[in-house]
Amino acid sequence: MEQSKKLVLFDFDGVLIDTLMVCYGINTFVNEDLSLEEYKGFFDCNIHDSKRTNGKAKEGHPNFHEEYRNKTRELVIPQVLKDSVKFLASKYTLVIVSSTPTISIKKILEREGLEDCFKDVLGADVHASKVIKINSMLEKYKINSVDALFITDTLGDIREAFSCGVVSIGVTWGFQERETLAKGNPKIILENPEDLTKGVESILC
């Protein structure tokens, strides 16, 4: 495949759809004393690594993904983000790299009319490591890492993208706050979804 467009990688939960309280609520079914701040801390690294090393993360809901599908049926992607995705898809190759199952993401994208904007959707079932998933997309589309960026709301994602030589845009409307995201030295941190398109273009111009 010939290189034609630069690559924009999106995280899904927190970036495109507001699932923080949904995911936190599912986890408190088992961990009744789990605080929101503790839960957010699970994402300082890859969430699957947290599940292996953090006692409370290990005790997640046994039917998390089924609960996730049920509780996200009524959630929508904000129009400003839909517009940004559609615009960016006209100029760049867009891919989703997430820790949510691929099928759940695709169903939401189809419902929201965005399924044709993303060339690939790589969920947890593809691989637990986002490093491996990001590198696979760089290879597939023959993109140099300097011609790619990752849009995410978690420090763990920023760190995994950095391992691939890919810069990140941190966004504060998701799972983690500016102070946490800044620890990973993202290229920029955005506070408002309205600034996403401009932010991407300032890096990949």
Side-chain angles (χ1 to χ4, degrees):
M1 180 179 295
E2 295 182 359
Q3 177 178 342
S4 58
K5 296 180 179 179
K6 295 180 180 181
L7 181 64
V8 179
L9 303 137
F10 278 80
D11 184 26
F12 186 68
D13 289 279
V15 173
L16 290 177
I17 192 164
D18 183 9
T19 56
L20 172 59
M21 296 311 295
V22 166
C23 295
Y24 171 61
I26 296 170
N27 276 271
T28 58
F29 181 84
V30 174
N31 292 305
E32 294 182 0
D33 63 339
L34 177 68
S35 72
L36 182 58
E37 290 307 308
E38 283 179 307
Y39 178 68
K40 289 179 180 180
F42 294 169
F43 298 90
D44 286 355
C45 61
N46 183 297
I47 184 61
H48 297 287
D49 291 335
S50 288
K51 289 178 179 179
R52 286 191 291 270
T53 60
N54 185 304
K56 286 192 175 181
K58 288 179 183 179
E59 298 173 3
H61 196 292
N63 297 312
F64 179 89
H65 297 305
E66 180 180 349
E67 289 292 311
Y68 177 95
R69 287 192 295 272
N70 291 334
K71 294 180 182 297
T72 57
R73 293 184 192 280
E74 304 301 322
L75 296 184
V76 299
I77 296 174
Q79 189 61 48
V80 63
L81 289 173
K82 287 184 181 180
D83 292 342
S84 293
V85 166
K86 290 176 182 177
F87 174 80
L88 293 171
S90 71
K91 299 187 65 175
Y92 307 105
T93 296
L94 305 190
V95 171
I96 288 178
V97 175
S98 173
S99 295
T100 295
T102 301
I103 186 63
S104 297
I105 298 170
K106 286 186 172 181
K107 285 184 176 180
I108 294 173
L109 293 177
E110 290 170 5
R111 187 179 74 215
E112 296 294 288
L114 295 179
E115 69 272 22
D116 293 334
C117 293
F118 294 94
K119 298 297 185 183
D120 290 279
V121 177
L122 283 67
D125 48 296
V126 174
H127 204 284
S129 169
K130 291 189 178 181
V131 172
I132 288 175
K133 289 184 282 194
I134 292 170
N135 280 331
S136 73
M137 292 295 95
L138 295 174
E139 181 178 354
K140 177 176 180 178
Y141 293 105
K142 300 188 185 304
I143 300 290
N144 189 294
S145 60
V146 299
D147 291 322
L149 65 81
F150 193 14
I151 302 168
T152 180
D153 62 329
T154 70
L155 175 59
D157 283 357
I158 295 171
R159 288 170 166 165
E160 289 196 84
F162 179 79
S163 295
C164 304
V166 173
V167 300
S168 295
I169 291 178
V171 303
T172 62
W173 56 82
F175 279 41
Q176 294 188 317
E177 292 76 21
R178 170 180 282 272
E179 293 76 13
T180 301
L181 298 173
K183 294 177 183 178
N185 296 311
K187 191 72 173 179
I188 55 176
I189 298 176
L190 300 178
E191 302 279 352
N192 299 304
E194 292 83 359
D195 298 327
L196 185 58
T197 297
K198 182 178 179 181
V200 170
E201 299 220 281
S202 71
I203 297 172
L204 292 183
C205 61

